[in-house]
Amino acid sequence: MSTSTPSNPPTQATSVAPAHSDHDDELVKVHWLDRVPGRGNPAAWPLGLAGALVLIAGTFLSWSYTSDVLGDLSVNFWPGGVQICMIVLGLVALVLLLAHRGPLAGLGAWLDTATSVRALGLGAVAYMLGALGTIAVKSGGIININPGGWISLVGALMLAASGLMLVSRQTKDPLFAKTSSWLEICTIIVLMALVLFGAAYALDVGDGASFVLFLLFVASVAWGLSKAGVFTWIGLISQKNRQVLMLGAFAVAFLFPFTQGGSDENMSIATQVLIFAATALGLNIVVGLAGLLDLGYIAFLGAGAYVGATLSASAFATIDWKPPFLIVVLLGACFSALLGLIIGSPTLRVSGDYLAIVTLAFGEIFRLTMGNLDGNNGPVLTNGPNGIPAIPDLNFFGFDFGQPHVIAGITLGRFANYYFLLLVIAAIIILVFTRLNNSRIGRGWVAIREDEKAAEAMGVNVFGLKLFAFAGGAFLAGMAGTVKAHHDVSVTPDQYIFLESAFLLAAVVLGGMGTVAGVLVGATILKLLPEKLRFVADYRLLIFGLVLVLMMRFRPEGLVASQRRKLEFHEDDEELAQRIEEVHLEEAEAKA
């Protein structure tokens, strides 16, 4: 990074001490950290270094007396997966501490290392308490915790105490960092590799408690790097190297099946995540861009699935015509879009809560209608509640999706075959979404979302664009539905209940409305967690509700939000607006 400085350096993490004005009662508030004993103490930095080293050293010693808790943590000098997470966290903390004061001090001028170390320390303490608590509960008492666990806990406490006492030395804004292109591209490649490794490890973790600890580790490191300002720089270089980022993301997605060793279980989960993500991307057009609250979107996925099932070679299919799969995909997508037009034409003249109620009713009407087309209450089309089972696997140009294939010595099973097909469909959906988002149509949708009356006054065809968003989102969901029918082997009405629509909407809101990466992250979280946390299945909805409440409180714009959404939810953050404006001015000057 160069030594160029911003015109308006960011304020320090510490608050200004109380100062009197003309009126005695007007005081500047003191941040709670200023009351921490030892704040700014010179011993804080060596304490942090010692804490990180002690944390890492403890991981090379046994944590558990028994070998059947959290993997095998009973062997000295052979860290298990749970311990390796703490090694990584300790190394990240060491780098940041050396950037705070030491050989990497030049890097520390760009990063808020004090706040970052504090976040990492608190995360390490929470991780160690969770790990040691799990060992104590599952092995029969605290006595079964070996010295290595206590040593790592002490190191985590020392690191957290150091973070609370450190004072930030950041003087430059990461938004204004000038770096070489090769460094930016290498950073993106490393990030993609970490994503690939992390996804493979997460799916390979079978124990629920170990999976929760892994999530806590990822959250702690992400929190620490975010507080340091690393993600600000990563977001900037991602915008500058968007094509490299997209290519890397698809390379990671393509290589993922080769990391699973032929595991059908893991690939089944990954395929379900892709189906869920592709459907959520279609909903993102309706909710994220146009701002239309749709609570019955799952019906469009079901419409595509029923088209795929009734036109399949299943013995229970009710239509004799068996066209090629490409024709089936287009028919399923067009049928879903037609339903979007039918339901949207009379209802899109209302908005807000009224539109939500109407779409909720449409989702229920679709489910009940599919259950009544059984020959008794209606024509024989869907076999009613029994649905259409025994749907055969696709055979595309001689390629049988139901048979395993060996590539480079790695066996790719049935679910891996469908994974690659869905990856192509997801790529098409992402291409359509990004093109629409960057077009006049996308700007019209955003204008409608922000202020429908103002958009109409400026000449925007409000009703036409809303109807197009509804039909376009339905079209994309229908495409995913036709593949889902063959992947699931059967289609029944109870697969398309309101709760599925709620989870799709939550994926869009949780990840970040109006963004591709955000929806992919949200869909992955909401689809992966229930599979890995089956031991708390009875409390799934409670945990889900708590997560949404916390998101609304601390990050209402979503996990991966666009700059526009950040400003919408943080209108009072004048510093953020000023920084973004200065970056845009610099980019405009560079282009000129």
Side-chain angles (χ1 to χ4, degrees):
M1 297 182 180
S2 69
T3 57
S4 59
T5 58
S7 57
N8 294 300
T11 57
Q12 299 296 320
T14 55
S15 302
V16 181
H20 287 278
S21 63
D22 295 337
H23 301 282
D24 294 337
D25 57 342
E26 293 182 2
L27 298 176
V28 179
K29 293 184 179 180
V30 180
H31 197 280
W32 67 272
L33 283 172
D34 293 328
R35 300 189 179 95
V36 173
R39 179 75 168 162
N41 193 310
W45 183 72
L47 177 65
L49 286 178
L53 294 174
V54 170
L55 174 65
I56 295 174
T59 61
F60 287 93
L61 300 176
S62 172
W63 283 12
S64 173
Y65 179 77
T66 59
S67 60
D68 57 349
V69 180
L70 299 177
D72 188 359
L73 305 180
S74 61
V75 182
N76 289 323
F77 307 108
W78 190 263
V82 173
Q83 295 167 310
I84 291 175
C85 290
M86 282 297 94
I87 293 176
V88 174
L89 189 146
L91 291 175
V92 173
L94 275 177
V95 171
L96 290 169
L97 285 166
L98 294 177
H100 184 81
R101 183 194 303 170
L104 303 178
L107 181 63
W110 294 91
L111 303 176
D112 188 354
T113 52
T115 308
S116 178
V117 171
R118 185 186 316 136
L120 290 172
L122 294 176
V125 171
Y127 185 97
M128 290 305 307
L129 290 176
L132 299 185
T134 302
I135 294 173
V137 170
K138 290 191 174 183
S139 62
I142 298 178
I143 193 173
N144 291 311
I145 301 176
N146 280 352
W150 298 115
I151 292 174
S152 291
L153 177 60
V154 171
L157 290 171
M158 293 169 62
L159 187 62
S162 170
L164 291 172
M165 291 188 293
L166 286 173
V167 178
S168 177
R169 295 187 172 186
Q170 181 185 10
T171 58
K172 304 173 185 178
D173 196 323
L175 277 175
F176 297 91
K178 305 297 183 182
T179 52
S180 59
S181 298
W182 68 267
L183 177 61
E184 296 173 355
I185 294 175
C186 289
T187 301
I188 292 174
I189 293 174
V190 171
L191 285 176
M192 293 297 102
L194 290 176
V195 169
L196 178 61
F197 174 78
Y201 178 81
L203 274 181
D204 197 46
V205 174
D207 180 59
S210 298
F211 183 77
V212 171
L213 288 174
F214 176 72
L215 291 182
L216 183 57
F217 157 72
V218 172
S220 300
V221 174
W223 184 27
L225 295 179
S226 175
K227 290 296 184 181
V230 174
F231 287 157
T232 300
W233 178 67
I234 290 176
L236 182 63
I237 67 173
S238 298
Q239 290 293 327
K240 292 170 60 178
N241 303 275
R242 188 174 305 175
Q243 294 180 346
V244 176
L245 180 64
M246 293 297 295
L247 181 62
F250 277 105
V252 167
F254 177 80
L255 294 174
F256 175 77
F258 296 94
T259 66
Q260 298 306 303
S263 172
D264 280 339
E265 180 183 359
N266 290 348
M267 287 312 304
S268 175
I269 297 174
T271 306
Q272 293 175 27
V273 168
L274 266 185
I275 294 174
F276 192 72
T279 310
L281 283 169
L283 179 61
N284 199 19
I285 293 178
V286 181
V287 177
L289 296 183
L292 306 174
L293 184 55
D294 189 348
L295 297 181
Y297 188 76
I298 194 65
F300 301 125
L301 179 68
Y306 267 103
V307 170
T310 54
L311 297 179
S312 70
S314 170
F316 299 91
T318 55
I319 298 178
D320 293 333
W321 185 39
K322 313 300 178 186
F325 178 67
L326 287 179
I327 303 298
V328 175
V329 170
L330 292 177
L331 288 175
C334 291
F335 180 68
S336 296
L338 179 61
L339 285 182
L341 290 174
I342 293 174
I343 189 62
S345 297
T347 60
L348 286 178
R349 301 184 187 279
V350 299
S351 60
D353 298 338
Y354 300 101
L355 179 62
I357 294 172
V358 171
T359 54
L360 171 60
F362 167 68
E364 290 300 297
I365 290 171
F366 172 82
R367 180 178 61 84
L368 295 174
T369 301
M370 295 299 104
N372 288 331
L373 299 179
D374 56 357
N376 294 324
N377 302 303
V380 181
L381 189 60
T382 65
N383 296 325
N386 296 324
I388 302 176
I391 301 174
D393 287 305
L394 291 171
N395 195 308
F396 201 52
F397 294 108
F399 184 88
D400 190 349
F401 282 75
Q403 298 298 322
H405 299 82
V406 179
I407 300 177
I410 299 175
T411 301
L412 300 178
R414 173 180 182 272
F415 295 108
N417 297 332
Y418 281 103
Y419 174 89
F420 286 120
L421 176 60
L422 285 163
L423 193 61
V424 173
I425 292 179
I428 295 173
I429 293 176
I430 291 174
L431 178 63
V432 172
F433 178 86
T434 53
R435 292 295 184 183
L436 288 175
N437 188 20
N438 297 326
S439 66
R440 289 184 59 189
I441 295 175
R443 291 192 291 271
W445 282 335
V446 172
I448 294 171
R449 185 191 69 197
E450 298 303 318
D451 194 325
E452 184 175 330
K453 297 298 182 183
E456 188 174 10
M458 295 301 294
V460 176
N461 185 358
V462 173
F463 180 75
L465 287 179
K466 288 166 67 174
L467 190 60
F468 181 64
F470 221 69
F475 183 91
L476 299 179
M479 289 180 60
T482 55
V483 181
K484 176 177 170 59
H486 292 272
H487 171 269
D488 294 346
V489 183
S490 66
V491 176
T492 55
D494 57 3
Q495 294 175 333
Y496 306 102
I497 58 177
F498 164 71
L499 189 60
E500 295 298 323
S501 291
F503 274 108
L504 284 170
L505 181 61
V508 175
V509 176
L510 177 66
M513 292 190 293
T515 63
V516 173
V519 173
L520 294 176
V521 171
T524 302
I525 292 174
L526 291 182
K527 204 64 179 179
L528 182 61
L529 289 186
E531 295 291 338
K532 290 297 183 179
L533 302 181
R534 292 184 180 274
F535 66 99
V536 290
D538 294 338
Y539 305 97
R540 183 179 67 169
L541 292 180
L542 175 61
I543 297 173
F544 175 64
L546 290 175
V547 169
L548 288 182
V549 170
L550 292 175
M551 285 295 300
M552 287 187 290
R553 170 61 182 86
F554 296 104
R555 196 171 178 84
E557 67 271 22
L559 294 175
V560 184
S562 62
Q563 293 178 351
R564 183 191 295 125
R565 299 295 294 180
K566 287 182 180 179
L567 292 178
E568 289 175 6
F569 285 100
H570 302 281
E571 294 178 354
D572 56 339
D573 195 342
E574 296 181 359
E575 180 184 343
L576 174 62
Q578 183 179 1
R579 290 165 63 192
I580 293 176
E581 182 181 358
E582 290 174 353
V583 170
H584 286 171
L585 287 175
E586 281 200 355
E587 291 179 353
E589 291 175 358
K591 291 180 180 179

